[in-house]
């Protein structure tokens, strides 16, 4: 798929898909191995931030303070596209929902409070439907991306 840059098309064609399970942010020391089932990592001066399934963190005794739902925006956005994160964040801010965004090469991924996941999906579906003068339908020129999660 060709990455999309046009914000109206991105919003009109995105489909939020909840990845099954619950996910946590945690920090492991820089000199410790990265957990093998970490789904995202960021190296920071204070340690390595990791996102991993809650079941893995519990099993391995890794401390965390945020339990989130993982929602993938099924639209192939260009890395230099402008406004998608802002539009999604603004809609979720209206609901009082925090959102941690991870940009993948092909899709954006949101980690939101697990107990608000259904509200988030509904709000993003509504955001997509609210786009004025967007392309007809929501499948886009190449059809919907039906892969759930990653």
């Amino acid at each position: 798929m060709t990455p999309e840059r046009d914000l109206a098309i991105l919003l009109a064609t995105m489909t939020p898909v909840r990845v099954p399970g619950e996910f946590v942010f945690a920090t492991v020391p820089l000199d410790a191995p990265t957990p093998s089932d970490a789904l995202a990592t960021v190296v920071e001066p204070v340690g390595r931030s990791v996102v991993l399934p809650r079941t893995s963190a519990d099993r391995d005794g890794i401390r965390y303070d945020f339990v989130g739902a993982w929602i993938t925006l099924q639209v192939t956005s260009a890395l230099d596209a402008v406004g998608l994160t802002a539009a999604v964040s603004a809609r979720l801010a209206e609901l009082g929902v925090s959102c941690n965004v991870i940009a993948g090469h092909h899709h954006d991924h949101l980690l939101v409070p697990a107990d608000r996941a259904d509200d988030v999906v509904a709000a993003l579906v509504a955001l997509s439907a609210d786009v004025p003068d967007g392309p007809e339908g929501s499948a886009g020129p190449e059809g919907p991306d039906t892969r759930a999660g990653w």
Side-chain angles (χ1 to χ4, degrees), residues 50-112:
V50 296
V51 178
L52 63 159
R54 182 181 190 177
T55 54
S56 299
D58 290 343
R59 177 195 68 223
D60 297 339
I62 299 173
R63 293 184 1 200
Y64 54 86
D65 58 11
F66 175 84
V67 178
W70 186 304
I71 297 170
T72 297
L73 299 181
Q74 293 291 343
V75 63
T76 303
S77 56
L79 289 171
D80 60 352
V82 176
L84 180 61
T85 301
V88 167
S89 295
R91 182 58 60 102
L92 298 184
E94 291 172 5
L95 297 175
V97 176
S98 67
C99 179
N100 297 280
V101 179
I102 300 172
H105 192 205
H106 299 285
H107 299 94
D108 290 318
H109 309 272
L110 315 175
L111 285 114
V112 300

Side-chain angles (χ1 to χ4, degrees), residues 32-59:
T34 300
S36 63
D37 47 2
L39 302 169
T41 63
V42 177
V43 176
E44 301 182 277
V46 296
R48 183 177 293 109
S49 292
V50 296
V51 178
L52 63 159
R54 182 181 190 177
T55 54
S56 299
D58 290 343
R59 177 195 68 223

Side-chain angles (χ1 to χ4, degrees), residues 18 69 71 95 112-124:
R18 183 173 180 180
I71 297 170
L95 297 175
V112 300
D115 63 345
R116 298 295 306 274
D118 292 338
D119 297 334
V120 169
V121 170
L124 296 178

